[in-house]
Amino acid sequence: MTALASPEEKAPVAENRSGASAYDGLARLAARIASYLQALPLLLILGFFFVLPILTIIVVSFWDYDFAGLYPDFMTLNYEEVLGSWVTWKTYLNTLKFTVIVWALTLLIGFWAAYFLAFHIRTTTMQMVLFLVCTVPFLTSNIIRMISWIPVLGRNGLVNTTLVELGIIPAPIEWLLYSDFAVVLAMVHLYTLFMVTPIFNTLMRIDKSLVEAARDAGATDWQILWNVIIPLAKPGMAIGSIFVVTLVMADFSTVQVMSGGQSASVALMMKNQMSLLQYPAAAANAVVLLVLVLIMVAGILRVVDIRKEL
């Protein structure tokens, strides 16, 4: 039989265990502090350039103002004017209309462009060359690319002149320029690449053996597209949708120029308020728009899990 250890013999063992436990606690604390220190630069950058400006906008949205200046206060009148005005609601609905139409068109065009590059171009070199060709227009500014549509769509522009000379129409089409059509066309031109890039990145990650297995099982091209490719491309489609939605909701220059001042958006309304020094009213609109965009982004993230792409 084994003899029982005396209290004197048990004491060093207990001391060793307590010392090891304290050492492990200090090691875990040091590792936690190190991780916080590593994340500190990012937290400072996000806090200064992202969180602080948003908090400032929220604070200013409760201030009072007149033609002479701003007055720090806490009042909900700015939000009452935003949410209680039919003109404001109509402007938000018009912005949502542009967003939905541009999102649908960019998703359709962007998916087929990415699908063509990923599955119909055999060599990687040619895929990259054609993809870079798509990015060439982005070497110029958005304003230049947007304004370039004016000589094309104008009353005496390229499209109307060609159609009249061919005898297809008796007179120039008026609604090609300075209309909602022109706004949507310019936005689709500006933002389609933001849909193509994430979808193309997702499609390039799809294992081609899955497509071959589906084809060997007797699936048609449309069945492969609907049951294999589109479900696997959803994360890229969601990321592209987030890009397009946020860009369209915040765009004011395209609406102002391409509609000829005949249409409105929330961003354009805020720009006009700031030009009139109505900063609290513009801040209240910015907060409401931010909440609306976050709701739309949250809805997209509820439908599709984009963590597969991160």
Side-chain angles (χ1 to χ4, degrees), residues 257-268:
V257 174
M258 300 305 294
S259 71
Q262 301 181 47
S263 189
S265 68
V266 179
L268 181 58

Side-chain angles (χ1 to χ4, degrees), residues 64-86:
D64 193 8
Y65 69 96
D66 58 19
F67 68 93
L70 308 178
Y71 307 100
D73 199 351
F74 186 83
M75 52 186 299
T76 60
L77 180 61
N78 297 319
Y79 289 96
E80 293 174 4
E81 292 178 350
V82 169
L83 301 176
S85 172
W86 169 243

Side-chain angles (χ1 to χ4, degrees), residues 126-198:
M126 186 56 64
Q127 287 176 341
M128 293 299 103
V129 169
L130 293 178
F131 180 76
L132 291 176
V133 168
C134 294
T135 64
V136 167
F138 279 75
L139 298 177
T140 60
S141 69
N142 284 6
I143 303 297
I144 294 176
R145 285 183 287 130
M146 174 185 61
I147 294 177
S148 65
W149 282 104
I150 295 178
V152 177
L153 302 176
R155 179 179 176 83
N156 298 317
L158 180 63
V159 174
N160 275 322
T161 301
T162 302
L163 293 177
V164 171
E165 289 180 354
L166 293 176
I168 299 176
I169 57 175
I173 301 174
E174 300 290 343
W175 51 263
L176 288 180
L177 186 61
Y178 302 136
S179 62
D180 288 351
F181 169 80
V183 174
V184 172
L185 180 63
M187 286 184 174
V188 170
H189 174 217
L190 294 175
Y191 302 135
T192 297
L193 187 63
F194 290 96
M195 190 70 76
V196 173
T197 302

